[in-house]
Amino acid sequence: MFGSWLPPLVCQAQTANATLPLSKAQWREDLQYLARELPKRHKNLFHTVSREQFERAVAELDAALPSLQDHQVIVRMLQITAKVGDAHTYVHLPQGFKRYPISLYWFGNELRVVRATKEYTDALGARVVKIGETGIDEVQARLLSVLSQAENEWFILSNSPAYMLRPEVLHTLGVVPDTGRAKFTFENEQGAQFTLGIAPVVADARFASESVGAAKEEPLYRQRADEPFWFTYLAERQTVYVNFKRYDSLDENTRKLFQFVDGNPTRKLVIDMRQNSGGDFTKVRGSLIPAIKKRPAINSRGRLFVIIGRRTFSAAMTNAIDFRKETNAILVGEPAGERPNSYQENDEMKLPNSRLTVSYSTRYYKFLDEDAPALMPDKRIDPSWAEYKAGRDAVMDWIISYNPD
């Protein structure tokens, strides 16, 4: 019931102090601990990778240890856990890893810069063509080795941009020659290419407040980014919009929400879970869903909407399925970024010398009868660069225009 996956730029577990540097003997001890403990602790470590393939990857890393820097050992360990195949099993990157101070997002097969610090605003809105001398398609192909290899394509779309901004990861994959300043080649909207040398910075929370966005304005779903649950009233449309990112104080937030709904003319209720990466799915089953089912005027086709997307993960994906099964909600947006039937509910262990955190799955859940690659929306609307740049939200536009009568 519990679990979440956060991109490596914001995962809180990374802030735990890793003890680096280590001797090769210490790394060997950590690797042996990983190889010994992960099969014992995981619900079924060999559901995608075979025991032989797992042990071969461990042996190859063990043999390579004398020639590797600390960050390369960590990324190679991440590649081993990625072979396991489920997104709740992975090595957390340590606090000392840096990032390039831009943010990237896939719009179809185009990777564009959606945020940047002030010194790199020339890149805003540009399409990424190359990193170093490597074309972006090849960079993406190499990054697949650090991402859980049995999840779906929307998980990859959601999370590859964050790893692409990690110099330690790119260096280990042979994309950049070192972990310092890297050459990024971009293409602007007029088709002209240009290159910027981008210096990595400490990956901390200041980026969000110190960076500039590419959009003219931010639509509702990208506002109030730090708030776990908030709602607003679109009076002209008699629509209550709920932004549900996290499960903090959900009972109290649900009470406040429906106190408002009951006191105001509400033609439509929209629950936006595009930025929800998980938590405890029983909380929604005990609060939001019962509150909706008590209100038949809301719980009817064309009046209740749940928005999902590539970042809808773990408990959030589970609850989106609950809304489909238990209410009359219409699901709108992109497919969710996880397989509905998969290994989840993570626990964690620490490696003895590096103190790196390793997550692993402890349960298998089957939330759909069929073994689908993703939870698919009833109305699929993929993000487009033109709408993003203009500050429009095509998903909300469709919901607002939908006529239930």
Side-chain angles (χ1 to χ4, degrees), residues 103-107 113-115 208 212-227 230 232 241-245 272-275 307 311 382-396:
S103 286
L104 307 174
Y105 194 89
W106 285 105
F107 297 91
V113 180
V114 293
R115 295 195 73 82
V212 179
K216 288 183 178 179
E217 57 183 331
E218 300 291 2
L220 274 176
Y221 79 96
R222 296 205 301 270
Q223 297 174 17
R224 301 164 69 171
D226 294 332
E227 296 185 40
W230 58 272
T232 191
Y241 168 84
V242 183
N243 190 288
F244 176 22
K245 297 187 193 72
D272 192 340
M273 302 182 74
R274 276 176 285 190
Q275 298 165 307
I307 307 178
R311 287 184 61 189
D382 292 339
S384 81
W385 167 240
E387 288 159 348
Y388 187 100
K389 178 178 64 172
R392 297 196 305 269
D393 182 358
V395 174
M396 278 300 291

Side-chain angles (χ1 to χ4, degrees), residues 101-146:
I102 59 177
S103 286
L104 307 174
Y105 194 89
W106 285 105
F107 297 91
N109 60 3
E110 292 187 346
L111 184 67
R112 291 187 178 269
V113 180
V114 293
R115 295 195 73 82
T117 51
K118 292 180 180 178
E119 58 266 52
Y120 302 115
T121 53
D122 286 350
L124 283 174
R127 183 173 67 86
V128 186
V129 177
K130 290 193 298 185
I131 302 176
E133 300 304 319
T134 307
I136 203 63
D137 290 341
E138 174 61 20
V139 176
Q140 178 78 341
R142 296 186 195 184
L143 280 170
L144 295 180
S145 70
V146 302

Side-chain angles (χ1 to χ4, degrees), residues 2 19 67 78 135 148 205 210 218 233 236 275 294 300 363:
F2 305 99
T19 305
S67 65
L78 176 61
S148 302
E210 295 178 359
E218 300 291 2
Y233 188 51
E236 290 185 5
Q275 298 165 307
K294 289 177 183 176
S300 60
R363 291 190 65 178

Side-chain angles (χ1 to χ4, degrees), residues 138-393:
E138 174 61 20
V139 176
Q140 178 78 341
R142 296 186 195 184
L143 280 170
L144 295 180
S145 70
V146 302
L147 291 163
S148 302
Q149 290 166 20
E151 293 295 352
N152 61 33
E153 62 185 277
W154 296 277
F155 176 83
I156 302 298
L157 287 175
S158 177
N159 294 297
S160 67
Y163 281 110
M164 204 174 287
L165 295 172
R166 294 293 198 172
E168 294 88 353
V169 173
L170 295 185
H171 177 242
T172 304
L173 298 178
V175 175
V176 295
D178 53 48
T179 59
R181 184 181 293 269
K183 182 176 70 172
F184 281 70
T185 302
F186 302 101
E187 182 179 285
N188 64 24
E189 295 200 65
Q190 289 71 47
Q193 293 192 4
F194 63 99
T195 299
L196 293 176
I198 301 182
V201 299
V202 174
D204 60 21
R206 289 179 297 174
F207 177 78
S209 60
E210 295 178 359
S211 59
V212 179
K216 288 183 178 179
E217 57 183 331
E218 300 291 2
L220 274 176
Y221 79 96
R222 296 205 301 270
Q223 297 174 17
R224 301 164 69 171
D226 294 332
E227 296 185 40
F229 186 104
W230 58 272
F231 62 88
T232 191
Y233 188 51
L234 309 178
E236 290 185 5
R237 303 290 185 172
Q238 295 185 348
T239 295
V240 177
Y241 168 84
V242 183
N243 190 288
F244 176 22
K245 297 187 193 72
R246 298 193 302 277
Y247 289 73
D248 315 39
S249 305
L250 188 60
D251 287 349
E252 177 63 14
N253 286 327
T254 298
R255 186 190 64 78
K256 291 177 180 177
L257 168 64
F258 284 98
Q259 184 178 45
F260 182 89
V261 167
D262 293 342
N264 293 272
T266 302
R267 185 171 176 80
K268 293 178 182 176
L269 176 64
V270 181
I271 301 173
D272 192 340
M273 302 182 74
R274 276 176 285 190
Q275 298 165 307
N276 192 322
S277 62
D280 178 357
F281 65 66
T282 65
K283 291 184 175 182
V284 164
R285 292 179 173 183
S287 58
L288 267 174
I289 288 178
I292 289 169
K293 292 172 77 171
K294 289 177 183 176
R295 294 163 172 85
I298 291 295
N299 187 24
S300 60
R301 194 75 174 171
R303 301 194 186 277
L304 176 64
F305 300 85
V306 173
I307 307 178
I308 62 172
R310 62 184 72 174
R311 287 184 61 189
T312 307
F313 181 81
S314 193
M317 177 203 67
T318 302
N319 289 142
I321 295 172
D322 291 337
F323 280 116
R324 172 172 282 169
K325 290 181 175 180
E326 299 293 326
T327 76
N328 290 305
I330 297 174
L331 271 57
V332 189
E334 286 185 293
E338 184 181 22
R339 298 188 73 91
N341 302 334
S342 60
Y343 290 88
Q344 301 181 24
E345 198 153 346
N346 65 297
D347 203 346
E348 295 176 348
M349 66 181 183
K350 285 192 180 295
L351 302 185
N353 296 309
S354 64
R355 307 305 296 162
L356 288 169
T357 300
V358 181
S359 290
Y360 54 90
S361 296
T362 64
R363 291 190 65 178
Y364 178 79
Y365 286 115
K366 185 178 176 64
F367 291 116
L368 292 181
D369 293 336
E370 69 279 12
D371 191 21
L375 170 63
M376 305 300 290
D378 300 304
K379 173 63 178 180
R380 181 168 170 178
I381 302 175
D382 292 339
S384 81
W385 167 240
E387 288 159 348
Y388 187 100
K389 178 178 64 172
R392 297 196 305 269
D393 182 358

Side-chain angles (χ1 to χ4, degrees), residues 57-73:
V58 170
E60 289 172 353
L61 176 52
D62 185 83
L65 283 175
S67 65
L68 299 177
Q69 300 176 50
D70 283 351
H71 71 267
Q72 293 173 305
V73 178

